[in-house]
Amino acid sequence: MSEEYEYRHEVEELAERSATAARLFDVRRIIGGLFVVYGIIVLIAGYTASDADVKKASGININLWTGWCVLAVGLLFLLWMKLRPLSAPGAVPKPEPSRPGSEPGAENGPGTGTGTGEG
């Protein structure tokens, strides 16, 4: 019994490490982080733009607007990652709450009278 316990403990520990690695390399974190970094860089370029640069873009500080947009996209990716974290690989997904009328055998809808012995 002791060997079985040790084996299960080892498997659980490996599963926990695997889940941590999966969350660490979540692509949303990488993409969001890169967008945030690039957004900050472009924002700095927008704030330090000369009058000649702004004049070239028809009076619009395009670096400033682009920097804010890229930063917003990066923050949205990171927010998405925070609100919907990855589940552990091989984990059973949580069942969604059932809606009324979604029981097995209710395909025809309520009140159809099929199989109730009405007649």
Side-chain angles (χ1 to χ4, degrees):
M1 196 60 118
S2 170
E3 287 180 28
E4 183 178 336
Y5 174 76
E6 288 178 22
Y7 178 72
R8 284 187 181 171
H9 180 68
E10 222 174 284
V11 168
E12 289 172 0
E13 186 177 317
L14 286 173
E16 185 178 319
R17 285 185 192 169
S18 176
T20 303
R23 281 190 291 276
L24 180 65
F25 294 109
D26 185 4
V27 74
R28 297 174 294 182
R29 176 179 299 198
I30 296 167
I31 292 172
L34 285 174
F35 269 86
V36 167
V37 170
Y38 292 153
I40 291 172
I41 291 170
V42 175
L43 271 174
I44 292 170
Y47 280 119
T48 60
S50 66
D51 290 336
D53 291 335
V54 174
K55 196 176 217 181
K56 270 195 244 181
S58 301
I60 300 171
N61 193 342
I62 196 72
N63 283 337
L64 197 61
W65 283 100
T66 304
W68 281 117
C69 291
V70 170
L71 183 65
V73 168
L75 291 175
L76 284 174
F77 266 92
L78 295 176
L79 180 68
W80 177 27
M81 181 193 68
K82 186 73 170 174
L83 294 177
R84 302 275 316 240
L86 286 178
S87 60
V92 178
K94 295 179 185 176
E96 293 186 19
S98 61
R99 296 178 299 189
S102 64
E103 299 89 26
E107 292 85 19
N108 296 333
T112 57
T114 55
T116 59
E118 295 178 25

